[in-house]
Amino acid sequence: MCLSASSIKAQTLYSPTDSLPQAPAGFYYADTIVVRYLPKVDTLLKDKNIFNEIPNATVRQSSEISFAMGEHISKNVTRTLSGYRVRIYFDNSQDARSGSERIQRAFEVQYPGVPTYRSYTYPFFKVTVGDFRTKSQAMKFLNKIKKHYQAAFLVRENISYPAIDSENAYILDTLMVLKPVKL
């Protein structure tokens, strides 16, 4: 199940020192780990601000402009650019679908925060990982995972904008979730 940031905000969160309310009949509280990915933006803009380049400039910005910019960014999250990914699985055998799912889940556990993409292009199931702007970034990551994925190789693809801070591209958080008791 995928939780969006808005669904997380809607939850009533309790600190560990708070006592939880009594769970309704047939339910119990369980700790659940949630991965929240940080927003992705163009890494070429990292630490750049045009207003720092203009000497003696004062900028006054209305909240409407700030809001409009936020809306623009949120509506364009699907934009892509040309870059590189690492293909860790490529097969067309009878069990290729389940194999690709298994490889994807194992990779996500082993390398949390690295985006994974599973696709099917007749007759092959493929799993590619990462969003790298340059071939050197992709090669560095390929060398890092080569011991676990010996058959991995680079592919040039349209990628999503990589996270600015790829070392801290996500936040792990815990939530108390109300779950039904299994009978």
Side-chain angles (χ1 to χ4, degrees):
M1 184 169 108
C2 181
L3 294 177
S4 67
S6 60
S7 66
I8 292 172
K9 289 178 189 172
Q11 301 278 337
T12 303
L13 301 178
Y14 296 93
S15 73
T17 58
D18 291 341
S19 60
L20 293 173
Q22 180 66 32
F27 292 88
Y28 68 97
Y29 287 104
D31 272 338
T32 302
I33 295 177
V34 177
V35 177
R36 291 186 295 143
Y37 291 95
L38 299 177
K40 295 181 176 188
V41 297
D42 190 344
T43 54
L44 292 179
L45 300 176
K46 182 178 180 182
D47 300 327
K48 300 225 171 124
N49 184 343
I50 186 68
F51 302 113
N52 292 338
E53 306 299 321
I54 304 171
N56 302 321
T58 302
V59 178
R60 293 191 179 110
Q61 178 175 308
S62 70
S63 59
E64 288 85 10
I65 292 174
S66 180
F67 177 77
M69 191 63 181
E71 285 292 305
H72 172 74
I73 291 170
S74 67
K75 289 179 181 176
N76 288 296
V77 294
T78 59
R79 291 183 68 184
T80 61
L81 68 148
S82 183
Y84 296 88
R85 290 188 175 139
V86 177
R87 173 115 350 113
I88 60 172
Y89 185 83
F90 183 78
D91 196 6
N92 67 345
S93 64
Q94 282 189 323
D95 65 341
R97 169 179 267 166
S98 61
S100 67
E101 291 169 349
R102 186 174 77 291
I103 293 288
Q104 183 179 19
R105 281 192 304 273
F107 183 87
E108 288 171 343
V109 168
Q110 203 167 19
Y111 298 95
V114 176
T116 61
Y117 305 92
R118 194 168 67 85
S119 62
Y120 175 74
T121 306
Y122 182 81
F124 293 100
F125 283 92
K126 307 169 193 173
V127 177
T128 54
V129 298
D131 288 315
F132 304 101
R133 293 186 74 120
T134 65
K135 192 172 186 176
S136 62
Q137 290 172 327
M139 285 299 295
K140 183 178 176 184
F141 186 74
L142 175 63
N143 291 333
K144 179 180 175 180
I145 68 167
K146 200 70 166 166
K147 61 185 169 214
H148 296 111
Y149 302 93
Q150 291 87 13
F153 58 95
L154 293 185
V155 291
R156 187 166 182 83
E157 289 187 355
N158 284 336
I159 63 169
S160 303
Y161 280 105
I164 285 183
D165 186 359
S166 60
E167 297 297 317
N168 300 298
Y170 63 96
I171 298 171
L172 288 179
D173 205 354
T174 57
L175 295 174
M176 292 300 280
V177 177
L178 196 59
K179 291 187 172 184
V181 176
K182 294 180 182 178
L183 300 175

